[in-house]
Amino acid sequence: MDTELSATVKADLLSIGSIRIDPALLPVQPTSLATAGPGAGGSSIFFRSGERRIRLTINELSPLRAVAKDGKVVLIKGDNVIARGMLEHPLCHCPEQAYITLSEKCVYDCQFCPVPKMQGGIKDSKKVHRMVAEAYATGELKAISLTSGVAVSPEKEVQRMVDVVKQLKREYDLPVGVSVYPTKHSSERLYAAGACEIKYNVETMNPEIFRRVCPDLSLQTVLDSLENAVDYFGRNRVSSNFIIGLGESDETVRKGLKQLTDRCVIPILRPISPHPLRKDAISIHRPSADRLLKLGGMLKEMLDCQSLCAEKSQTMCLLCTGCDLTPHRDL
């Protein structure tokens, strides 16, 4: 009998965040390579079991193993099989989406993020269109999601994003979601360009931690922009990454979740892992399974109180769910 991925098992897997995998299971282009945010540079797999999906970084030192057995992929912890399912093929970054990073570099020096250290390339519109076309040709594409670092300035990044969204909406009848650092008119402009969902990341709702880990950014600017975004995009169409593991207390998380959901914003509780390029910058503690379940349950209750539903999201992280314990999809 199949062992489907339960919420409890997924929380346990997320608390570890990595896996060893039999190379024989991997196709020619097996892994998703993250190019944005704290996980940039890491190769990973997507595993699906029942209605749930998880993304795990490939690490030969992981206590988890993925092997083939009886025509399935099984996940093993210690001597126990904890889930049976299948590997999913990512289109661009994740399954079912063309999730594309426009600028793989950033002028801001957030202490948990390796992107400023990596200083990757910038995709021009031709490359973006080629990537989307290749994903569309598979017949599996459900959404286009675009994110970006800040190569020069937030204003220039938003302008590039507006241009790309307009071009893609002329060619594809698909939902387009966007994640950028906000500017004064970014929500208005991106909505007018054709984006249906927006994500501005608060990173943490602890002001002291924010000042320490995002010294170049303004938490209040992000919060104001999120509230303004709801006026344009509407309920269930505005979200924000909320990192768990930077030293915040559960009470800080509770208060932060209430602030966001009261603004009709859907928070995404993102467990963080230390990156080698940032190992000496800050102290990072990957959250335990129990904590992820507790905070995820807390978030679900707050969303329900505001009649918000993560399951209605059409793009980006809330559609994928691979990196998080997502209310209404996992819980």
Side-chain angles (χ1 to χ4, degrees), residues 89-100:
H89 176 65
L91 300 181
C92 296
H93 179 64
C94 68
E96 302 178 324
Q97 297 188 62
Y99 206 146
I100 299 170

Side-chain angles (χ1 to χ4, degrees), residues 268-289:
I268 300 166
L269 295 177
R270 175 61 47 85
I272 190 169
S273 288
H275 193 282
L277 292 177
R278 290 294 193 178
K279 63 181 181 179
D280 298 322
I282 55 172
S283 178
I284 284 175
H285 305 281
R286 188 131 179 126
S288 67

Side-chain angles (χ1 to χ4, degrees), residues 1-304:
M1 182 180 294
D2 283 353
T3 304
E4 289 193 354
L5 187 61
S6 67
T8 302
V9 172
K10 182 173 177 179
D12 189 32
L13 296 175
L14 285 171
S15 72
I16 297 168
S18 63
I19 197 160
R20 289 177 284 154
I21 186 164
D22 181 351
L25 285 173
L26 300 176
V28 176
Q29 293 182 323
T31 63
S32 167
L33 183 65
T35 55
S43 295
S44 60
I45 61 162
F46 285 88
F47 174 82
R48 188 175 190 92
S49 173
E51 296 300 314
R52 294 184 177 88
R53 166 189 293 144
I54 189 166
R55 174 178 177 262
L56 295 167
T57 301
I58 296 175
N59 183 342
E60 288 306 308
L61 299 178
S62 175
L64 299 174
R65 290 185 293 137
V67 300
K69 186 176 182 180
D70 301 329
K72 294 280 190 177
V73 175
V74 300
L75 305 189
I76 300 172
K77 183 180 180 184
D79 296 324
N80 300 315
V81 172
I82 57 176
R84 287 182 171 86
M86 58 177 284
L87 295 185
E88 288 189 289
H89 176 65
L91 300 181
C92 296
H93 179 64
C94 68
E96 302 178 324
Q97 297 188 62
Y99 206 146
I100 299 170
T101 304
L102 299 190
S103 294
E104 298 171 17
K105 58 175 61 181
C106 195
V107 296
Y108 298 132
D109 192 29
C110 294
Q111 298 298 292
F112 53 81
C113 182
V115 171
K117 300 289 187 182
M118 297 170 68
Q119 290 297 310
I122 297 176
K123 297 180 182 70
D124 60 24
S125 60
K126 288 183 179 179
K127 184 169 184 177
V128 173
H129 280 265
R130 185 169 66 251
M131 293 173 73
V132 174
E134 289 172 355
Y136 187 80
T138 67
E140 300 173 10
L141 187 63
K142 292 183 177 180
I144 300 169
S145 299
L146 306 171
T147 186
S148 192
V150 179
V152 177
S153 70
E155 290 75 18
K156 289 187 177 181
E157 215 63 60
V158 169
Q159 180 60 57
R160 275 201 333 119
M161 193 69 78
V162 165
D163 293 341
V164 170
V165 171
K166 285 181 178 178
Q167 293 166 10
L168 290 172
K169 287 300 292 182
R170 284 196 292 265
E171 297 183 33
Y172 299 97
D173 184 21
L174 289 169
V176 177
V178 174
S179 177
V180 291
Y181 187 73
T183 64
K184 185 176 181 180
H185 300 294
S186 54
S187 293
E188 177 183 1
R189 297 182 64 203
L190 288 163
Y191 181 76
C196 69
E197 294 178 345
I198 195 83
K199 179 154 70 82
Y200 300 138
N201 295 330
V202 294
E203 313 298 8
T204 178
M205 288 293 284
N206 181 309
E208 181 182 341
I209 294 177
F210 189 96
R211 284 191 294 269
R212 188 167 69 250
V213 301
C214 299
D216 306 316
L217 306 182
S218 165
L219 178 57
Q220 191 59 53
T221 293
V222 178
L223 290 172
D224 291 344
S225 298
L226 285 166
E227 190 164 17
N228 174 257
V230 176
D231 293 337
Y232 288 98
F233 289 87
R235 299 169 63 84
N236 299 310
R237 298 289 176 249
V238 181
S239 61
S240 184
N241 282 5
F242 187 148
I243 294 172
I244 304 299
L246 294 174
E248 71 291 329
S249 67
D250 287 357
E251 179 60 16
T252 293
V253 175
R254 186 193 68 78
K255 289 179 179 178
L257 293 179
K258 189 172 190 313
Q259 280 185 266
L260 292 168
T261 55
D262 282 353
R263 288 172 161 88
C264 295
V265 175
I266 298 180
I268 300 166
L269 295 177
R270 175 61 47 85
I272 190 169
S273 288
H275 193 282
L277 292 177
R278 290 294 193 178
K279 63 181 181 179
D280 298 322
I282 55 172
S283 178
I284 284 175
H285 305 281
R286 188 131 179 126
S288 67
D290 287 345
R291 188 177 189 214
L292 290 173
L293 287 165
K294 174 185 175 182
L295 297 180
M298 186 187 296
L299 172 56
K300 184 177 183 297
E301 288 182 7
M302 292 188 188
L303 293 174
D304 291 345

